[in-house]
Amino acid sequence: MPELPEVETTRRGLLGLTGRPVLDLVIREGRLRWPIPAELGPRLVNQTILHLDRRAKYLLLRVPTGAAIIHLGMSGSLRIAAVADAPGPLDHVDIVLDGGQCLRFRDPRRFGCLLWSETPEQHPLLKSLGPEPLEGPPPGPHLFLSSRGRRRAIRDLLLDSEVIAGIGNIYANEALFLAGIDPRRAAGRISAARYERLGQAIRTTLERAIAAGGTTLRDFLGSDGRPGYFQQTLQVYGRQGQACRICGTAIRTARLGARSLFFCPHCQT
DNA sequence: CTCCGATCCTGATGGC
DNA sequence: TGCCATCAGGATCGGA
């Protein structure tokens, strides 16, 4: 489900957590991508939440002694719920707050994770992540340098979080359309000028998606329970057979590895 | 080092 | 209506 815009939408919806106490941690199903560590409860309970940060697709729930590292995987979501509302079978964890509320973690496929670290930036899952695409200069030059000598397809380079953080299959396809680049093209054989355009396209795509509250294809809901509406703006993802919004050519789909490509065979070269 | 496929798990969807 | 196959927004791991 969630790529950078959906995780950022979730984060922004939960900024009210700042300053609130953690009263309890209730784990109904701890078998996620990795088991929830036994120390998480003792580390969080009776601490005050300082802030909720994002790095790539990870959320960092910071308390004075460290942070809970949260990843939503393919199907996860976080929202504020009333403790009195009975959790569903897929609501695996409640971080109990004051006022009868909790931060409720739902993850049907259990590809997400909930971990603890005193130094989250140094955690193995986070320490080798590539740059944030929305921070600092646009990532075109960085992508150009990272891609030299690489033969893999540019779509796969964009999905590699050690190269650049936070981009998933929807936004890789969308940004490549905006930049006019064929997603199957070898990353190492794309010019610096085209990477410049791609860097701008990545930024534009992600910013617009965040402004729209993310993309809801099936079940993504922000922390306020509302869907995003960027799916109305998608140029290629899921639009196979439909007319390209620029040239009218039918959008094509193909497989690259286990995941689908969507592109306009006329606009993207 | 680089790259690719297999893998974890459940729910939604479409064809027959 | 039921059953089965296929697909899904992620990312790690192992092996070629």
Side-chain angles (χ1 to χ4, degrees):
Chain A
M1 172 203 321
E3 304 184 32
L4 187 154
E6 290 74 38
V7 178
E8 179 64 16
T9 295
T10 299
R11 187 188 76 85
R12 292 182 184 186
L14 293 172
L15 288 178
L17 290 171
T18 295
R20 297 184 69 176
V22 177
L23 301 185
D24 195 9
L25 181 72
V26 179
I27 301 173
R28 288 175 288 271
E29 175 55 82
R31 295 173 298 169
L32 305 180
R33 177 70 171 82
W34 292 281
I36 297 174
E39 66 174 337
L40 182 66
R43 295 287 179 264
L44 283 182
V45 171
N46 292 327
Q47 297 224 53
T48 298
I49 295 170
L50 298 178
H51 202 54
L52 186 64
D53 291 321
R54 181 187 58 75
R55 173 75 172 106
K57 297 169 190 164
Y58 293 93
L59 289 168
L60 302 178
L61 185 75
R62 296 194 193 273
V63 296
T65 54
I69 299 173
I70 305 168
H71 196 292
L72 302 177
M74 288 277 271
S75 57
S77 60
L78 281 175
R79 52 178 311 189
I80 300 292
V83 173
D85 285 352
L90 306 172
D91 291 326
H92 302 314
V93 180
D94 285 350
I95 296 173
V96 180
L97 308 166
D98 54 349
Q101 292 186 316
C102 66
L103 180 61
R104 186 159 278 175
F105 179 77
R106 175 184 179 88
D107 185 7
R109 293 177 73 179
R110 292 193 272 128
F111 286 179
C113 68
L114 183 48
L115 302 170
W116 168 260
S117 176
E118 293 176 7
T119 54
E121 282 77 11
Q122 308 307 316
H123 192 278
L125 291 173
L126 275 71
K127 69 180 181 201
S128 56
L129 289 169
E132 287 291 323
L134 298 181
E135 292 175 12
H142 165 75
L143 290 171
F144 174 71
L145 291 173
S146 301
S147 64
R148 294 307 88 185
R150 304 277 202 118
R151 300 161 85 144
R152 64 202 305 214
I154 180 62
R155 195 284 309 263
D156 287 343
L157 189 83
L158 295 183
L159 293 185
D160 186 339
S161 62
E162 295 194 7
V163 173
I164 186 165
I167 300 175
N169 200 34
I170 294 178
Y171 299 108
N173 278 279
E174 292 295 306
L176 286 164
F177 172 82
L178 202 56
I181 297 171
D182 187 318
R184 302 164 296 184
R185 179 172 285 273
R189 303 177 68 186
I190 297 172
S191 70
R194 301 192 84 192
Y195 271 108
E196 187 65 35
R197 187 172 170 201
L198 178 58
Q200 297 288 350
I202 289 168
R203 191 160 273 201
T204 299
T205 301
L206 296 177
E207 286 175 347
R208 286 179 182 165
I210 292 170
T215 299
T216 298
L217 290 185
R218 13 170 70 84
D219 55 6
F220 170 73
L221 300 176
S223 59
D224 56 1
R226 298 172 59 179
Y229 54 91
F230 192 70
Q231 63 277 10
Q232 297 170 8
T233 313
L234 293 174
Q235 305 294 306
V236 289
Y237 191 92
R239 295 194 67 240
Q240 66 275 23
Q242 299 179 46
C244 170
R245 301 194 202 277
I246 303 296
C247 75
T249 301
I251 299 299
R252 279 188 54 193
T253 186
R255 280 276 167 177
L256 186 59
R259 328 188 62 176
S260 296
L261 297 177
F262 301 93
F263 59 98
C264 171
H266 179 259
C267 294
Q268 294 176 259
T269 59

